[in-house]
Amino acid sequence: ARSQTQQNIYSFDAVCTDSGGLLSSALVTVVVNPSDAGYPVFTQQLYSATIAESQSVSSTILRIQATSTDSSVGIAYTIASGSDGNFVIDGATGDIVLAMPLNAEVQEYYVLSVKAVTTDCIPKTTAATVQITVTDVNEYFLSFDNHTLSVTLTEGSPPPTCVAKVTCTDVDATSNISYQISSGNGVLSIFGIS
């Protein structure tokens, strides 16, 4: 075997023989590249954040970060896809910033493809993913489908006779509606609602 000829390059002889004693040899050279070969390496491959739909525009959502084994070159950050104009990134710091008001009723999840690019003469690019979840804020008033409802009930109808059905609508994404009779039911509470 031959010794290492220079850093990260190894050479050795490979020999094969047959049963008659004949042999052949070959020179094998192995070049070992560093694992990242100068490419940026993100601190995480998947970043995630949860924000309320009422989050202020221009507020920072999170920061992505990448490093390189070559300390002489800088790293710039970009959003490649998935933002739909709702998010921007500071190319120098990796801060992802809210660019437009959000609406959880329209879209609750965003998946951004982000890139780190070296600023040397031969740019090298690495990608990562950012998942952003938008939570709903209770912002809309409830609305009954019918604000006035008149029904006729036969005297002596046994319980639990269905007298009427009222429906209320809430356009909030995470609506949890409950019903109660607030007045007019009398001391005996003749009517119930569920």
Side-chain angles (χ1 to χ4, degrees):
R2 302 186 186 185
S3 62
Q4 183 177 356
T5 57
Q6 65 183 68
Q7 187 177 14
N8 299 330
I9 300 177
Y10 298 83
S11 296
F12 58 88
D13 291 316
V15 178
C16 63
T17 59
D18 64 12
S19 58
L22 300 176
L23 62 84
S24 180
S25 65
L27 173 63
V28 179
T29 301
V30 179
V31 179
V32 180
N33 287 325
S35 60
D36 70 354
Y39 282 81
V41 178
F42 277 102
T43 55
Q44 301 171 223
Q45 277 302 302
L46 176 63
Y47 295 84
S48 62
T50 299
I51 60 173
E53 64 179 352
S54 59
Q55 187 87 21
S56 300
V57 171
S58 299
S59 59
T60 299
I61 308 303
L62 58 82
R63 173 177 288 188
I64 62 172
Q65 189 173 14
T67 59
S68 174
T69 54
D70 188 348
S71 60
S72 66
V73 300
I75 296 176
Y77 302 94
T78 61
I79 297 177
S81 64
S83 168
D84 298 329
N86 292 289
F87 307 94
V88 294
I89 192 167
D90 185 314
T93 64
D95 287 345
I96 294 178
V97 176
L98 182 61
M100 296 176 61
L102 300 175
N103 189 340
E105 286 76 35
V106 175
Q107 188 167 347
E108 292 184 74
Y109 303 100
Y110 293 86
V111 179
L112 313 182
S113 175
V114 294
K115 292 184 177 180
V117 184
T118 59
T119 58
D120 52 355
C121 59
I122 304 177
K124 301 174 183 67
T125 302
T126 303
T129 300
V130 178
Q131 294 180 344
I132 299 174
T133 302
V134 182
T135 59
D136 184 49
V137 173
N138 193 8
E139 59 191 322
Y140 294 103
F141 288 103
L142 301 176
S143 175
F144 273 104
D145 294 349
N146 293 305
H147 291 279
T148 302
L149 186 63
S150 298
V151 297
T152 301
L153 178 66
T154 303
E155 184 179 10
S157 297
T161 298
C162 181
V163 176
K165 182 177 181 179
V166 294
T167 305
C168 192
T169 303
D170 186 356
V171 296
D172 278 311
T174 54
S175 176
N176 186 13
I177 299 174
S178 61
Y179 298 87
Q180 65 181 15
I181 298 174
S182 61
S183 63
N185 200 17
V187 178
L188 298 177
S189 297
I190 297 172
F191 300 102
I193 191 169
S194 61

